[in-house]
Amino acid sequence: MRFRSAVPAAAVLVLAACAAPATPSVVTVGDSVPAGSNCGCTPFPALYATTQHATDVNRAVPGTTSADVRAALPTERAVLSSAAEVVIMIGANDIADVFDDPSRYADVASEVEQNVAASVTQIRDARKIPVIVLGYWNVVQDGQVGAANYGPDGVADATRATTLINQALQQAAAASGGTYVSTAEAFHGDDGTDDPTGLLAPDGDHPNAAGQAAIAALIPPLR
């Protein structure tokens, strides 16, 4: 015996049309900053995703380099295939590894540019979604800790290293369809002279809770 559906077909179509859309996901790849190292707080990817009513898919790993991100992307196809946006913060470890040798800064920055451009291209070739490339306020220690540990010459080296990496990231984003977002003003102010110590963990290297919130606030809304 056949039974008629209690809900007319037209009503089923209406119900389907009114179903809640899937929650968008924001995938973050990068280093210890988006991973939330030495903070004991909610890192910026989760803070940002919450404001966008999105799911946070944080793949950031402390110690990661730009080459690591590029090599790992093929293994992340499942999460990338359904992402609404990807956020990349990478490059500090590349140059921190050669911080004591300023003669290598330019070459390392060039490698970062190539790896990040290739990473953004991989993502956008698979799925045309926004890719946000975040810059750094400093690629090594900053604030009072950095000044104490490096001295004036080391602080000058840190500024040069950071400038080169940020230029590389900006150029990579421009060449590959990504969007570059600077974090420098959030930590150093409009004129670059603010002391960022209040936004940093005691190690002087990673953001504290206030610093993580400041980064989250810089990322453009999902579109």
Side-chain angles (χ1 to χ4, degrees):
M1 179 182 292
R2 293 184 178 179
F3 294 90
R4 289 181 177 274
S5 171
V7 181
V12 172
L13 292 174
V14 170
L15 289 172
C18 294
T23 302
S25 64
V26 177
V27 176
T28 304
V29 295
D31 54 28
S32 57
V33 175
S37 294
N38 295 347
C39 179
C41 67
T42 302
F44 76 78
L47 296 174
Y48 170 70
T50 297
T51 65
Q52 303 303 304
H53 306 288
T55 299
D56 168 36
V57 182
N58 192 342
R59 292 293 197 262
V61 178
T64 297
T65 66
S66 62
D68 295 330
V69 166
R70 181 177 181 178
L73 282 177
T75 69
E76 297 291 355
R77 288 175 181 167
V79 294
L80 293 172
S81 66
S82 59
E85 181 176 81
V86 175
V87 178
I88 298 176
M89 191 171 198
I90 200 66
N93 289 318
D94 298 63
I95 205 157
D97 288 343
V98 300
F99 182 57
D100 292 335
D101 187 0
S103 68
R104 296 184 61 188
Y105 291 177
D107 288 342
V108 171
S110 179
E111 292 172 3
V112 169
E113 180 179 347
Q114 293 173 30
N115 286 328
V116 173
S119 297
V120 176
T121 298
Q122 280 189 62
I123 294 166
R124 289 182 53 80
D125 281 350
R127 184 173 171 82
K128 288 295 186 288
I129 54 175
V131 180
I132 308 300
V133 179
L134 292 174
Y136 292 88
W137 63 96
N138 204 315
V139 292
V140 287
Q141 293 174 344
D142 203 348
Q144 295 170 15
V145 172
N149 288 341
Y150 300 146
D153 290 344
V155 169
D157 286 343
T159 298
R160 177 169 174 256
T162 302
T163 298
L164 287 171
I165 289 297
N166 284 338
Q167 288 174 346
L169 295 171
Q170 188 169 12
Q171 290 163 3
S176 58
T179 299
Y180 175 77
V181 175
S182 172
T183 61
E185 289 184 3
F187 285 78
H188 288 285
D190 293 343
D191 61 1
T193 63
D194 287 2
D195 179 358
T197 299
L199 297 176
L200 300 174
D203 66 2
D205 194 15
H206 298 89
N208 59 18
Q212 291 282 355
I215 297 172
L218 297 172
I219 305 173
L222 276 174
R223 59 180 191 271

